[in-house]
Each structure stands twice: as structure tokens, then as C-alpha cells.
């Protein structure tokens, strides 16, 4: 059997235990294996290795807004008005007056379209889903105080009545001391044309505000008020806003979920009233492999030097620390962590906060070097499932192993006039399952490129484009999920603006 057919069916099942009648995570990650190698035509150097960065959280879900670099926004607007500066700037600017958003939920992605006449939002392929765009949440989105768009968040109600909240941050019944979901990712955005948020005539430097670019799913509630909460962790970076290298500003370069709590109830208007009876916990260590002499401590991640090389596929050259000079003039979006384990847990006693493990999945990765790659991407090597008894006794199954081929293959077609270095990736050569079976993959010759209409293969050629740094890339999750863009040669380039790929 061609393992590519097997891989389409091979999924990491994460059965989530919990109380009957309550919503629980749809914890089936279909991206674990499909994106474990270089088969897909991607241009990101920071390959996920385990999960697509859009699907680092289980269940996946976010709403994202697109911006562009101010260098690409120096022309007149639709009314023929010039911006308040025509200099090339690497900062983010609004993509015109028209609002935009993209929804990713339950494995599907679709644009959201706003009706300018009514102000209501709809799915581009409207299936009856209700879209509510709200403001006033205390979630880090500063917006434009004069335009009353501070604290934007979203509520999506699907035809079955389930309500998905994005960017709420403080859940129903929140009071001081209760946890927040940290689900909104923000960055400085300039309004350089009239009628754009934060615009100031003749004052580009004063025309920026902290705007949300991604609202992650953080609260789900069904028709019987059973609820589920997803908590996230933000990853912070700094850059030289408006080329002010001495005073870099902070922004959220990415983030990842840390746990899902379910079995909650909102019947009394307070989901914090009782602890969650069950939860899913994600372990996300540094994107670095520990050795006997190096512990991968986060404080050892530096902009350059020997220690920075311990994070091979992480763009340390775009990292800027707080309070130090920074010569990176554009925000970049990437992650410094990897998903190493997923654990399901239940409370030991009803209403208790002490949990015991039920199931665990350890994801072991490494960095496999190729001939031309001095900064190899992360590779998923194996998955080990472990079950736990009520007493805590652990029993593990044999691992599912993904064996790489020995000869890396091109991720783009080279031409005789191509002066770029090779961009190669390894492929999955064989999969060995936990039941003892194994499937090997026939590796096609790199010299044979049959015409698509006459190809006997089960795969089809995929065309990609980009001969230089891409204008914008979606900021990763990790599962990325968050990453840098690449010019197709494996060389990292600055990702200038959040944008759906």
C-alpha cells in the first residue's frame, strides 16, 4: 500500500474523558501526520513537525484580520487621498477602509463578509451561521478610542445552536483573581489614510494603536449551557516601531493553548463557580533539544551566538529583547516552542482541584540535518501513548514511528537559471504502527517529472509562487503554531504582516 493513503487515514485519536452530557474537546488532530514531513508545498522554514500552526490547539479555532506593510500602502485611497507619509515603512497598516476577517473553526476556513448597509457579518458561504462582532471586552485590544472599537471580540453561533466565543478573555462570572484566557494577539497598526482607525493628519508617528490581529477560540457553550474553556499563552517580541531603534515596542508574535477545561456549566451565569471536572493539558517546551551540557533554558535564547544555534529553525535574528536597541523594523511572527505531550486528566474528587492522569501522548521530535540545510526544520519522530490507572500506574503502547528517507528531495523545482540555493526536505519513507505493522513508501526519482496528464503516480504536481520574500504571512500558532516566511531557498525572511496564506 502507498503510505500516503495510509497517512490520510492515520490520525492521532485523543479520547477525552469526562462527565456525560457535557461538551468535551473534539480532540482529533488530523494534521499530526500529514504535516510531519516536506511532502506539502510550503515555503516556511519553521516547519511545524507535529501540528499545523493553525491547529496547535484542540479544537482548532480563531478569527484573523489581515493587514499589510505600510510600504505597500503608500498610494492614494479609494477617494484619491494620500497617506500621512510616503516613506517606506515596515510597520503594519490597515488594508484600506474595508474591514476583513477570516474564520477557522472545526477544520474549515472561510472569509467573513460585512454588509456595509446593516453592519452585520456573514460567512462568505453562508450556511445560516450567526456572526456577532462585539466590542467592550477587556482583552488587550486597545483599538481606536474615538471610533469605539476597543476590546473587539466575536461570537459565532452555528445552526445547531452552539456558541463559539473568540477573544472574550474574561469568561462569564469573572472576578478579580480568576484566570483569563489570554486569547487575543495584538500588534501596533497604523492608520495612515483618512477614515482609518487611529489616523492623524500629518502625523504618521502618532497614528498607531494596538490592534487585535487574531482572536483565538476561548469559550464554547451549547444550548443547555454546558461549557468549555480554552486557555492560551502569548509569546512576546519587540521591534523598532517607526524605525525607533532605541525604544522598541512589544507585540504578540504568536502563542499557543496550554489547557482546555470542560464539564463546566453556565447555568448560574458563572463558569468559575466550580472547578472543571476534566481537562486536556498541553506541554510546550522550548524548540530546542536538551543535552548533557545544555538545558535549553529560555533565558539562553539570544539574538546571535552559539546558544542561538540550539534553536535551529527559530529566527533568532528577528528577536529583540525589552529595553535594548533593536534594528528589526517590522513585526515578525513565529514561535519558540513545540508541542511535546498531550495529557487528559479528571478530578480525583467531585469539585476538587487535584487531577489525575487518564491518557497521555508523548510526541518525540528532533532536527534532522540535510546536505544543504544548516538550520533543519523540526521532525516528528514518534508518538507514544500511555494509559494511567486510577492509582496512577502507567502502561505505554509501542510507539508509532515515522522514518525519514535518507535522500532529501526538493521542495520546489529548480531551473538552470535559478541562482537560489536548494530548498530540500525529507519525506516519510516508512510508518511503523503500535501494533507492529509497517508500511514503506516508494520514493520517486528526482530526475523523473512526468507530465501531469500522463503521470502514473497517485500524487499531482503542485505549483507555488514566490521569487522573493512574501509580502505577508499568517502569524503562527504552533502550532503552529507561528512562523517566518521564506523565499523558497530555506533562508528566513521577515514576515511583514499577518495575512491568511
Amino acid at each position: 500500500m502507498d503510505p500516503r493513503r495510509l497517512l490520510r487515514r492515520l490520525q492521532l485519536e485523543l479520547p477525552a474523558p469526562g462527565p456525560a452530557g457535557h461538551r468535551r474537546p473534539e480532540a482529533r488532530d488530523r494534521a499530526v501526520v500529514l504535516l510531519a514531513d516536506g511532502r506539502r508545498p510550503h515555503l516556511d522554514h519553521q516547519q511545524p513537525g507535529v501540528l499545523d500552526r493553525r491547529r496547535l490547539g484542540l479544537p482548532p479555532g480563531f478569527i484573523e484580520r489581515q493587514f499589510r506593510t505600510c510600504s505597500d500602502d503608500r498610494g492614494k485611497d479609494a477617494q484619491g487621498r494620500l497617506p500621512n507619509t510616503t516613506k517606506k515603512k515596515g510597520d503594519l497598516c490597515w488594508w484600506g477602509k474595508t474591514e476583513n476577517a477570516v474564520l477557522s473553526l472545526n477544520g474549515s476556513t472561510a472569509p467573513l463578509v460585512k454588509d456595509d448597509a446593516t453592519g452585520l457579518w456573514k460567512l462568505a458561504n453562508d450556511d445560516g451561521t450567526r456572526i456577532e462582532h462585539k466590542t467592550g471586552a477587556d482583552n488587550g485590544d486597545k483599538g481606536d478610542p474615538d471610533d469605539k472599537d476597543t476590546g473587539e471580540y466575536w461570537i459565532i453561533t452555528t445552526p445547531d445552536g452552539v456558541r463559539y466565543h473568540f477573544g472574550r478573555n474574561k469568561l462569564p462570572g469573572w472576578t478579580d483573581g480568576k484566570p483569563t484566557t489570554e486569547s487575543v494577539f495584538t500588534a501596533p497598526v497604523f492608520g495612515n489614510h483618512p477614515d482609518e482607525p487611529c489616523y492623524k493628519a500629518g502625523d504618521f508617528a502618532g497614528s498607531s494603536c494596538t490592534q487585535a490581529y487574531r482572536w483565538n477560540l476561548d469559550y464554547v457553550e451549547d444550548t443547555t449551557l454546558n461549557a468549555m474553556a480554552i486557555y492560551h499563552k502569548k509569546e512576546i517580541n519587540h521591534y523598532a516601531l517607526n524605525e525607533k531603534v532605541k525604544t522598541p515596542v512589544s507585540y504578540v508574535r504568536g502563542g499557543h493553548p496550554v489547557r482546555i477545561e470542560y464539564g463546566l456549566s453556565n447555568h448560574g451565569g458563572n463558569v468559575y463557580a466550580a472547578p472543571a471536572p476534566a481537562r486536556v493539558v498541553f506541554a510546550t517546551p522550548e524548540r530546542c533539544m536538551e543535552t548533557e551540557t545544555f538545558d535549553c533554558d529560555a533565558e539562553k535564547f539570544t539574538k546571535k551566538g552559539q546558544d542561538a544555534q540550539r534553536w535551529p529553525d527559530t529566527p533568532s535574528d528577528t528577536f529583540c529583547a525589552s529595553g535594548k536597541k533593536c534594528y528589526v523594523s517590522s513585526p515578525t511572527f513565529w514561535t519558540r516552542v513545540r508541542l511535546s505531550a498531550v495529557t487528559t486528566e479528571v478530578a480525583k474528587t467531585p469539585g476538587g482541584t487535584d487531577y489525575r492522569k487518564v491518557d497521555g501522548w508523548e510526541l518525540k521530535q528532533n532536527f534532522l540535518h540535510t546536505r544543504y540545510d544548516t538550520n533543519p526544520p523540526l521532525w516528528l519522530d514518534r508518538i507514544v501513548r500511555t494509559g494511567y490507572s486510577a492509582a496512577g500506574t502507567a502502561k505505554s503502547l509501542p510507539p508509532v514511528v515515522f522514518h525519514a528517507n535518507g535522500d532529501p528531495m526538493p521542495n520546489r523545482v529548480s531551473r538552470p537559471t535559478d541562482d537560489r540555493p536548494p530548498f530540500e526536505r525529507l519525506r516519510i519513507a516508512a510508518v511503523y504502527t503500535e501494533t507492529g505493522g509497517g508500511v514503506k513508501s516508494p520514493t520517486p526519482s528526482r530526475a523523473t517529472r512526468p507530465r501531469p496528464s500522463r503521470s502514473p503516480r497517485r500524487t499531482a504536481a503542485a505549483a507555488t509562487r514566490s521569487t522573493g520574500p512574501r509580502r505577508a504571512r499568517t502569524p503562527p500558532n504552533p502550532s503552529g503554531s507561528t512562523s517566518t516566511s521564506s523565499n523558497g531557498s530555506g533562508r528566513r525572511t521577515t514576515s511583514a504582516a499577518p495575512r491568511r496564506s
Side-chain angles (χ1 to χ4, degrees), residues 81-111:
R81 297 171 295 186
L82 287 170
N84 51 17
T85 184
T86 55
K87 295 180 179 180
K88 290 185 177 181
K89 298 286 185 177
D91 305 276
L92 301 183
C93 276
W94 285 89
W95 203 298
K97 186 179 178 181
T98 303
E99 296 184 68
N100 68 81
V102 176
L103 168 68
S104 178
L105 180 65
N106 294 333
S108 299
T109 301

Short mmCIF file of all heavy atoms in Angstrom, two decimals, residues 81-111:
data_model
loop_
_atom_site.label_atom_id
_atom_site.label_comp_id
_atom_site.label_asym_id
_atom_site.label_seq_id
_atom_site.Cartn_x
_atom_site.Cartn_y
_atom_site.Cartn_z
N ARG A 81 -7.08 60.13 -1.75
CA ARG A 81 -6.35 60.85 -0.70
C ARG A 81 -5.03 60.17 -0.38
O ARG A 81 -4.96 58.94 -0.25
CB ARG A 81 -7.22 60.93 0.56
CG ARG A 81 -8.51 61.72 0.35
CD ARG A 81 -9.43 61.61 1.55
NE ARG A 81 -9.93 60.25 1.75
CZ ARG A 81 -10.85 59.91 2.66
NH1 ARG A 81 -11.37 60.85 3.45
NH2 ARG A 81 -11.25 58.65 2.77
N LEU A 82 -3.98 60.95 -0.25
CA LEU A 82 -2.65 60.43 0.03
C LEU A 82 -2.51 60.07 1.51
O LEU A 82 -3.20 60.65 2.37
CB LEU A 82 -1.59 61.46 -0.35
CG LEU A 82 -1.35 61.66 -1.85
CD1 LEU A 82 -0.45 62.88 -2.07
CD2 LEU A 82 -0.70 60.41 -2.46
N PRO A 83 -1.59 59.18 1.84
CA PRO A 83 -1.34 58.86 3.26
C PRO A 83 -0.58 59.98 3.94
O PRO A 83 -0.07 60.90 3.30
CB PRO A 83 -0.51 57.58 3.17
CG PRO A 83 0.20 57.69 1.87
CD PRO A 83 -0.77 58.37 0.93
N ASN A 84 -0.47 59.87 5.27
CA ASN A 84 0.22 60.92 6.01
C ASN A 84 1.75 60.75 5.97
O ASN A 84 2.47 61.52 6.58
CB ASN A 84 -0.27 60.98 7.47
CG ASN A 84 -0.24 59.63 8.15
OD1 ASN A 84 0.43 58.69 7.69
ND2 ASN A 84 -0.98 59.51 9.26
N THR A 85 2.23 59.71 5.26
CA THR A 85 3.65 59.61 4.92
C THR A 85 3.78 58.74 3.69
O THR A 85 3.01 57.80 3.49
CB THR A 85 4.48 59.00 6.07
OG1 THR A 85 5.86 59.01 5.71
CG2 THR A 85 4.07 57.57 6.36
N THR A 86 4.75 59.09 2.85
CA THR A 86 5.01 58.28 1.65
C THR A 86 6.34 57.55 1.76
O THR A 86 6.81 56.95 0.79
CB THR A 86 5.02 59.16 0.39
OG1 THR A 86 5.96 60.22 0.55
CG2 THR A 86 3.63 59.75 0.14
N LYS A 87 6.95 57.59 2.94
CA LYS A 87 8.20 56.87 3.17
C LYS A 87 7.91 55.38 3.32
O LYS A 87 6.86 54.97 3.79
CB LYS A 87 8.90 57.40 4.43
CG LYS A 87 9.36 58.85 4.33
CD LYS A 87 10.05 59.28 5.62
CE LYS A 87 10.52 60.73 5.52
NZ LYS A 87 11.19 61.16 6.78
N LYS A 88 8.90 54.58 2.94
CA LYS A 88 8.76 53.15 3.09
C LYS A 88 8.92 52.77 4.56
O LYS A 88 9.93 53.08 5.18
CB LYS A 88 9.81 52.41 2.25
CG LYS A 88 9.57 52.50 0.75
CD LYS A 88 10.57 51.65 -0.01
CE LYS A 88 10.29 51.68 -1.51
NZ LYS A 88 11.25 50.83 -2.26
N LYS A 89 7.91 52.11 5.09
CA LYS A 89 7.90 51.71 6.49
C LYS A 89 7.58 50.22 6.59
O LYS A 89 6.72 49.71 5.87
CB LYS A 89 6.86 52.51 7.28
CG LYS A 89 7.11 54.01 7.30
CD LYS A 89 8.27 54.38 8.21
CE LYS A 89 8.43 55.89 8.33
NZ LYS A 89 9.50 56.26 9.27
N GLY A 90 8.25 49.54 7.50
CA GLY A 90 7.99 48.12 7.68
C GLY A 90 6.87 47.81 8.65
O GLY A 90 6.57 46.63 8.89
N ASP A 91 6.25 48.83 9.21
CA ASP A 91 5.16 48.63 10.16
C ASP A 91 3.91 48.11 9.46
O ASP A 91 3.83 48.08 8.23
CB ASP A 91 4.85 49.95 10.87
CG ASP A 91 6.07 50.56 11.53
OD1 ASP A 91 6.38 50.17 12.65
OD2 ASP A 91 6.71 51.44 10.89
N LEU A 92 2.93 47.73 10.25
CA LEU A 92 1.66 47.27 9.71
C LEU A 92 0.71 48.44 9.50
O LEU A 92 0.65 49.35 10.33
CB LEU A 92 1.00 46.26 10.66
CG LEU A 92 1.80 44.99 10.99
CD1 LEU A 92 0.97 44.08 11.87
CD2 LEU A 92 2.22 44.28 9.73
N CYS A 93 -0.04 48.39 8.41
CA CYS A 93 -1.07 49.39 8.12
C CYS A 93 -2.37 48.69 7.77
O CYS A 93 -2.38 47.52 7.35
CB CYS A 93 -0.63 50.30 6.96
SG CYS A 93 0.43 51.68 7.44
N TRP A 94 -3.45 49.42 7.89
CA TRP A 94 -4.76 48.88 7.53
C TRP A 94 -4.83 48.62 6.04
O TRP A 94 -4.26 49.34 5.23
CB TRP A 94 -5.87 49.84 7.94
CG TRP A 94 -6.13 49.83 9.41
CD1 TRP A 94 -5.52 50.60 10.35
CD2 TRP A 94 -7.04 48.99 10.10
NE1 TRP A 94 -5.99 50.30 11.61
CE2 TRP A 94 -6.93 49.30 11.47
CE3 TRP A 94 -7.94 48.01 9.71
CZ2 TRP A 94 -7.69 48.67 12.44
CZ3 TRP A 94 -8.70 47.37 10.67
CH2 TRP A 94 -8.57 47.69 12.02
N TRP A 95 -5.59 47.59 5.68
CA TRP A 95 -5.77 47.23 4.29
C TRP A 95 -6.97 47.98 3.73
O TRP A 95 -8.00 47.41 3.37
CB TRP A 95 -6.00 45.72 4.16
CG TRP A 95 -5.65 45.19 2.80
CD1 TRP A 95 -6.23 45.52 1.63
CD2 TRP A 95 -4.64 44.24 2.50
NE1 TRP A 95 -5.66 44.84 0.60
CE2 TRP A 95 -4.67 44.04 1.10
CE3 TRP A 95 -3.72 43.52 3.24
CZ2 TRP A 95 -3.82 43.15 0.45
CZ3 TRP A 95 -2.88 42.65 2.59
CH2 TRP A 95 -2.92 42.47 1.22
N GLY A 96 -6.84 49.29 3.69
CA GLY A 96 -7.95 50.11 3.21
C GLY A 96 -9.05 50.24 4.25
O GLY A 96 -8.98 49.70 5.36
N LYS A 97 -10.11 50.93 3.88
CA LYS A 97 -11.20 51.18 4.81
C LYS A 97 -12.07 49.96 5.03
O LYS A 97 -12.70 49.79 6.07
CB LYS A 97 -12.05 52.34 4.27
CG LYS A 97 -13.15 52.79 5.22
CD LYS A 97 -13.94 53.95 4.64
CE LYS A 97 -15.07 54.37 5.58
NZ LYS A 97 -15.85 55.50 5.01
N THR A 98 -12.11 49.06 4.03
CA THR A 98 -12.97 47.88 4.13
C THR A 98 -12.45 46.93 5.20
O THR A 98 -11.27 46.56 5.22
CB THR A 98 -13.02 47.14 2.78
OG1 THR A 98 -13.48 48.05 1.78
CG2 THR A 98 -13.96 45.95 2.85
N GLU A 99 -13.32 46.52 6.11
CA GLU A 99 -12.94 45.59 7.15
C GLU A 99 -12.89 44.17 6.58
O GLU A 99 -13.59 43.83 5.64
CB GLU A 99 -13.95 45.64 8.30
CG GLU A 99 -13.98 46.99 9.01
CD GLU A 99 -14.92 46.97 10.19
OE1 GLU A 99 -14.62 46.28 11.18
OE2 GLU A 99 -15.97 47.64 10.11
N ASN A 100 -12.05 43.34 7.17
CA ASN A 100 -11.93 41.96 6.72
C ASN A 100 -11.70 41.05 7.90
O ASN A 100 -11.22 41.48 8.96
CB ASN A 100 -10.79 41.82 5.71
CG ASN A 100 -9.43 42.03 6.35
OD1 ASN A 100 -8.87 41.12 6.97
ND2 ASN A 100 -8.88 43.24 6.21
N ALA A 101 -12.03 39.79 7.74
CA ALA A 101 -11.79 38.79 8.77
C ALA A 101 -11.93 37.42 8.13
O ALA A 101 -12.65 37.24 7.15
CB ALA A 101 -12.78 38.93 9.92
N VAL A 102 -11.21 36.45 8.70
CA VAL A 102 -11.27 35.06 8.24
C VAL A 102 -11.52 34.18 9.45
O VAL A 102 -10.88 34.33 10.49
CB VAL A 102 -9.96 34.65 7.54
CG1 VAL A 102 -9.99 33.18 7.16
CG2 VAL A 102 -9.72 35.51 6.31
N LEU A 103 -12.47 33.25 9.31
CA LEU A 103 -12.82 32.34 10.39
C LEU A 103 -12.25 30.96 10.13
O LEU A 103 -12.40 30.43 9.02
CB LEU A 103 -14.34 32.24 10.52
CG LEU A 103 -14.89 31.12 11.41
CD1 LEU A 103 -14.55 31.37 12.88
CD2 LEU A 103 -16.40 30.97 11.23
N SER A 104 -11.60 30.37 11.13
CA SER A 104 -11.16 28.98 11.08
C SER A 104 -11.79 28.26 12.26
O SER A 104 -11.52 28.60 13.42
CB SER A 104 -9.63 28.89 11.14
OG SER A 104 -9.22 27.53 11.14
N LEU A 105 -12.64 27.28 11.96
CA LEU A 105 -13.38 26.61 13.04
C LEU A 105 -13.75 25.20 12.60
O LEU A 105 -14.24 25.00 11.47
CB LEU A 105 -14.65 27.40 13.38
CG LEU A 105 -15.54 26.82 14.49
CD1 LEU A 105 -14.80 26.82 15.83
CD2 LEU A 105 -16.84 27.61 14.61
N ASN A 106 -13.52 24.24 13.48
CA ASN A 106 -13.90 22.86 13.24
C ASN A 106 -13.36 22.31 11.92
O ASN A 106 -14.05 21.58 11.20
CB ASN A 106 -15.43 22.71 13.29
CG ASN A 106 -15.99 22.99 14.66
OD1 ASN A 106 -15.31 22.81 15.67
ND2 ASN A 106 -17.23 23.45 14.72
N GLY A 107 -12.13 22.68 11.59
CA GLY A 107 -11.49 22.14 10.41
C GLY A 107 -11.81 22.85 9.11
O GLY A 107 -11.32 22.45 8.06
N SER A 108 -12.61 23.92 9.16
CA SER A 108 -12.95 24.67 7.95
C SER A 108 -12.52 26.13 8.09
O SER A 108 -12.53 26.67 9.20
CB SER A 108 -14.46 24.61 7.68
OG SER A 108 -14.89 23.28 7.48
N THR A 109 -12.18 26.73 6.98
CA THR A 109 -11.78 28.12 6.95
C THR A 109 -12.61 28.86 5.92
O THR A 109 -12.80 28.36 4.81
CB THR A 109 -10.29 28.28 6.61
OG1 THR A 109 -9.51 27.58 7.59
CG2 THR A 109 -9.88 29.75 6.60
N ALA A 110 -13.15 30.03 6.29
CA ALA A 110 -13.99 30.79 5.36
C ALA A 110 -13.87 32.27 5.67
O ALA A 110 -13.77 32.67 6.84
CB ALA A 110 -15.45 30.35 5.48
N PRO A 111 -13.87 33.12 4.64
CA PRO A 111 -13.87 34.57 4.87
C PRO A 111 -15.19 35.03 5.48
O PRO A 111 -16.25 34.44 5.25
CB PRO A 111 -13.69 35.16 3.46
CG PRO A 111 -13.23 34.02 2.61
CD PRO A 111 -13.80 32.79 3.21
#
